[in-house]
Amino acid sequence: MTATEKDGLQDGSDVSDRLGRLAIQVLALLGGLAGLLISAFHLLGSMIFSSNAHGMGGWGLLYQMGAWAFLLLAVAGTAGAALYRRSPKKAGLLLLLCGLLGFPVGYIAWINQGGFLGWTAWIPAGVLLTAAG
């Protein structure tokens, strides 16, 4: 194999590595943005439940705590996308944990409704963050 052929192979693998990193960062960013949207809906819902006379009573606070947890997980997932270039292993673990931890948070936040509504609300963000991790 000549030197130019070796350089061509190295350039091809370098391009695929860059595309792989970019794909992971895009997935993580989309997951973080989906998590932000989900947390905004939960915060809005908790405000509506707490101010409504026919609302869920104390359950609005539980929704609000779930929304803040979703917000923290979404911000951490977005930070994982930004940190992926420096430390792929640490960022990958952060993204994986953020994606997976949202499911029990959603379940607990919606426990009075059976838990599955909150669990399913996190599916778009959780799948994207877990796939990126």
Side-chain angles (χ1 to χ4, degrees):
M1 207 178 249
T2 64
T4 56
E5 289 174 347
K6 288 181 184 177
D7 288 340
L9 289 175
Q10 185 179 6
D11 289 340
S13 66
D14 189 38
V15 168
S16 67
D17 286 344
R18 268 191 249 148
L19 287 175
R21 282 193 307 263
L22 181 64
I24 289 172
Q25 287 177 321
V26 166
L27 283 174
L29 186 61
L30 288 174
L33 292 175
L36 288 174
L37 186 64
I38 291 165
S39 66
F41 282 132
H42 274 79
L43 278 173
L44 181 64
S46 69
M47 284 186 229
I48 291 171
F49 284 143
S50 65
S51 66
N52 189 354
H54 299 290
M56 300 279 192
W59 292 106
L61 180 62
L62 191 59
Y63 294 147
Q64 189 174 21
M65 291 186 327
W68 285 111
F70 281 153
L71 181 67
L72 290 175
L73 290 172
V75 168
T78 306
L83 297 173
Y84 191 78
R85 282 193 178 205
R86 290 205 172 119
S87 179
K89 284 188 177 185
K90 289 179 185 177
L93 184 61
L94 176 69
L95 291 168
L96 184 66
L97 287 176
C98 287
L100 293 177
L101 284 176
F103 292 110
V105 165
Y107 187 84
I108 291 169
W110 283 82
I111 196 74
N112 70 325
Q113 300 292 325
F116 293 107
L117 290 175
W119 186 83
T120 56
W122 186 252
I123 286 178
V127 168
L128 288 169
L129 289 172
T130 305

